[in-house]
Amino acid sequence: MSSESSKKVPEPRLVTVRKTQGELGIQLCGGNLRGIFVERLEEDSPARGADGLVPGDMILEYGSVSMKNKTVEEAYLEMLKPAETVTFRVQHRLDEFNQVKDTPGDGFYIRALYDRVAETELDLSFKKDDILYVDDTLRNGNFGTWMAWQLDENAQKIQRGQIPSKYMMDQEFYRRHSMTELKDETGSSKTLSAAARRSFFRRKQKHKRSSSKDGKDVIALDAISTDSIPFLDDFVSLAYQRVQKIDCTSPRPVLILGPLVDPVKDMLVKESPEKFSRCMLEVMKASQQAIERGVKDFLFIDYKRRSGHFDVTTVASIKEITDKDCHCLLDIAPHAIERLHSVHIYPIVIFIRYKNAKQIKEQKDPVYLRDKVSQKHSKEQFEIAQKIEQEYSKFFTGIVQGGTFPYICTQIVTIVDQEQSKVLWTPLGSP
C-alpha cells in the first residue's frame, strides 16, 4: 500500500510568480504530444522558492491559457508576453518528466508553402506542398529553428533536418516585402504597427546566457523581442500550414469541372461501370426554405431548381455509392466542395482545360455527343471554365488537357487511381 501511495500523482497547485525585468529563467521540455514540463530553473529565477516551481512540474495552465496541446515553442512564446505577475497551474509528474526530458516532445504535420534549398548539411531541402513532420520546435533551446522529417507519398519518414520556424519565416516575409498592410485569406486587412515590423528575433546580447546542456548557448526568455507576438497570434502563416492525415477506406467521390463534362461522365460510367457511378439526384417537392435547411443541417450538399421541384444531391446518395466500392461522379457546383469537407467527404476534383472555345466547338463523338456544339455555346462554356479555374483552382486535385473524349477519360482514370492510393492531407482545424 505504501508503495502505491508514493506513486500517486500530487494534486495540481497554483504558483504565482512576480517577473523581474521580464525574465522567468525557466527552461522547458516536452511538447504538444506529452505536455509541457519545467526542466530547469536559473539560479536567480523568480519562480524558485519553497512555494515555487520545481523540475518535473507539468504546466497545465499559464495565466488563463491552457498548455494542453501546445508545442514547447508556443509555451515559451506565451511566457514571453509582458506581465508583471503570472500564475502557473502545475502538477508534479516526475515519472512522465523522466521519460520526456531527453527526447523531443513535439509532433505535428505541416505542408510547406514555399521551396527551400538546404544551406548546410544539417538543413532540410523541400519543395512547396511537401508534407513534413516536425518533432522539435525549440532546437537546443534556441528559437528560430525546427527539426523536421521529410515524408514520402505514403507518409513514411525519409530524411531529418532543420528548417526555419514558422515565426522566423513569417518575420522574414514581412521584412523582405516591407509591407504596411497584409491581406489574409478572408480578404480582411491587418495593419502592421512599427513595433510589429521590428525583427521578432532581435537578440539582446547582454541577456544571452550560457548553459552546460549540450555545450550550447541557450537564449534566455527575454532574448526575443515580443513586439510582434500579438500580431502573430491570429495570423495565417505564409510559410507552413498545419495538416492532418485522413484515412480514406472507401473510394473518394470525383467532381469533374469544365466544359462538356456530361458526355465525359457518361463515357466513364459506360466504359468502367465497376469503377464509376453517377450520383443520383433526388427529386424533391419542397419549399426553398426546407431545402436550404437541409443544406444547413448537412443533409444536402447542393440543389438545382426545376419547374415545380428541386434536384438535390444528398449526403446519403453519395455514401450509398462509395459504400459499394465505387467512385461517385458528383453533379454539384464548385462552391459546394467545402460543404463536402464539412461532412468528412474529400472529393478528387479534376478540371478539364481547353485551349480555347474553338477546341470545344470541334468536339465530336457519335455516341456521347450527338448534337454539334454551337459557336455561342462553346464560347459560353469556355468563359465559364475560365471563371471556375480562377476562383476554385485551390480545390483542384488534377488538371487534364482537352482532347478527344477517350483521351480525356484516360487522363481522368489515371489521376483518380493515383489520388486514391495517396495519403490524404487536410488542413488541421477543418472538420
Side-chain angles (χ1 to χ4, degrees):
M1 289 295 292
S2 59
S3 66
E4 282 183 22
S5 61
S6 66
K7 288 183 179 180
K8 189 178 177 183
V9 177
E11 288 295 313
R13 66 188 199 281
L14 293 178
V15 176
T16 301
V17 178
R18 186 174 177 80
K19 281 189 175 185
T20 56
Q21 300 177 350
E23 290 187 54
L24 280 171
I26 302 168
Q27 190 167 307
L28 303 178
C29 65
N32 66 308
L33 295 182
R34 307 289 293 275
I36 303 296
F37 289 86
V38 176
E39 181 175 16
R40 193 172 61 82
L41 295 160
E42 298 279 351
E43 287 295 328
D44 57 352
S45 169
R48 275 179 173 271
D51 298 322
L53 300 175
V54 292
D57 279 344
M58 176 189 268
I59 303 175
L60 306 176
E61 291 175 11
Y62 176 79
S64 59
V65 179
S66 170
M67 288 288 124
K68 189 177 181 182
N69 300 324
K70 292 276 188 192
T71 67
V72 68
E73 182 189 45
E74 287 169 341
Y76 262 116
L77 287 170
E78 200 60 50
M79 293 162 71
L80 278 170
K81 294 178 181 177
E84 287 186 12
T85 304
V86 292
T87 301
F88 291 83
R89 185 168 175 266
V90 298
Q91 189 173 31
H92 197 63
R93 298 187 181 181
L94 197 57
D95 288 346
E96 290 174 57
F97 168 67
N98 288 329
Q99 293 172 7
V100 169
K101 65 179 180 179
D102 297 320
T103 57
D106 289 319
F108 56 92
Y109 297 102
I110 56 172
R111 185 192 304 278
L113 303 180
Y114 68 103
D115 293 335
R116 180 169 190 263
V117 178
E119 296 176 2
T120 71
E121 287 183 8
L122 298 174
D123 291 347
L124 193 66
S125 294
F126 52 79
K127 289 195 172 1
K128 186 176 183 291
D129 290 327
D130 277 0
I131 302 295
L132 309 173
Y133 179 74
V134 179
D135 63 8
D136 188 354
T137 60
L138 209 64
R139 173 78 167 154
N140 294 329
N142 287 310
F143 280 100
T145 303
W146 287 354
M147 292 302 294
W149 286 91
Q150 195 165 33
L151 307 180
D152 63 15
E153 284 190 351
N154 298 316
Q156 298 300 306
K157 294 174 181 175
I158 306 173
Q159 185 182 358
R160 189 173 186 254
Q162 60 185 24
I163 64 173
S165 74
K166 174 175 83 76
Y167 301 98
M168 182 68 89
M169 286 309 301
D170 287 342
Q171 288 297 317
E172 173 65 17
F173 181 86
Y174 308 144
R175 186 191 63 76
R176 193 180 300 165
H177 293 268
S178 301
M179 298 174 78
T180 53
E181 279 196 352
L182 199 62
K183 289 191 179 287
D184 65 15
E185 288 182 345
T186 61
S188 64
S189 65
K190 294 174 190 270
T191 302
L192 288 174
S193 65
R197 288 194 295 271
R198 289 201 290 271
S199 173
F200 179 60
F201 290 92
R202 181 184 62 210
R203 293 189 174 182
K204 305 173 187 175
Q205 293 298 328
K206 66 177 181 177
H207 289 305
K208 188 169 181 178
R209 297 187 178 187
S210 166
S211 166
S212 59
K213 185 184 177 185
D214 299 327
K216 300 280 176 73
D217 281 334
V218 177
I219 306 305
L221 280 179
D222 68 330
I224 311 299
S225 164
T226 60
D227 292 337
S228 57
I229 292 175
F231 172 79
L232 286 168
D233 273 352
D234 58 356
F235 179 69
V236 177
S237 174
L238 303 163
Y240 310 112
Q241 178 189 46
R242 286 279 285 267
V243 291
Q244 59 189 339
K245 187 164 56 171
I246 302 293
D247 293 322
C248 280
T249 51
S250 304
R252 292 167 63 187
V254 177
L255 175 61
I256 304 170
L257 300 171
L260 307 177
V261 294
D262 278 328
V264 170
K265 287 191 272 194
D266 289 341
M267 182 178 253
L268 286 169
V269 171
K270 188 164 185 183
E271 298 290 325
S272 307
E274 76 294 337
K275 193 181 189 83
F276 296 102
S277 180
R278 293 192 75 150
C279 186
M280 298 303 295
L281 300 177
E282 292 193 25
V283 176
M284 293 190 180
K285 292 188 176 181
S287 66
Q288 176 87 21
Q289 289 85 350
I291 297 294
E292 287 177 356
R293 189 163 58 248
V295 171
K296 194 175 180 182
D297 293 341
F298 304 111
L299 299 174
F300 308 154
I301 296 301
D302 203 6
Y303 61 89
K304 293 174 185 175
R305 183 192 289 276
R306 302 295 184 202
S307 55
H309 71 272
F310 291 92
D311 288 341
V312 182
T313 299
T314 67
V315 173
S317 62
I318 297 170
K319 290 189 173 176
E320 187 180 342
I321 292 172
T322 57
D323 287 347
K324 291 175 182 174
D325 209 29
C326 219
H327 291 283
C328 176
L329 293 175
L330 297 165
D331 184 14
I332 61 171
H335 63 73
I337 294 171
E338 287 182 291
R339 286 186 205 141
L340 286 169
H341 292 172
S342 67
V343 291
H344 307 276
I345 298 174
Y346 302 97
I348 297 168
V349 182
I350 299 172
F351 179 72
I352 305 173
R353 181 190 283 155
Y354 285 85
K355 294 175 188 171
N356 46 44
K358 183 170 177 280
Q359 191 185 18
I360 300 170
K361 185 177 180 297
E362 291 172 349
Q363 274 286 27
K364 292 182 179 66
D365 191 287
V367 178
Y368 299 102
L369 190 66
R370 290 174 186 169
D371 296 331
K372 191 177 178 183
V373 184
S374 69
Q375 187 163 343
K376 182 185 176 186
H377 185 56
S378 61
K379 188 182 176 186
E380 286 173 353
Q381 289 267 298
F382 184 68
E383 288 174 355
I384 290 169
Q386 283 184 308
K387 286 181 182 175
I388 288 173
E389 185 169 11
Q390 191 175 356
E391 290 182 38
Y392 299 101
S393 60
K394 66 179 179 180
F395 294 116
F396 294 175
T397 313
I399 296 175
V400 304
Q401 300 304 320
T404 64
F405 288 140
Y407 171 71
I408 289 171
C409 287
T410 301
Q411 289 186 80
I412 288 173
V413 170
T414 302
I415 289 173
V416 169
D417 287 346
Q418 286 175 347
E419 292 302 318
Q420 184 65 39
S421 66
K422 286 181 185 175
V423 173
L424 177 63
W425 301 96
T426 64
L428 190 66
S430 65

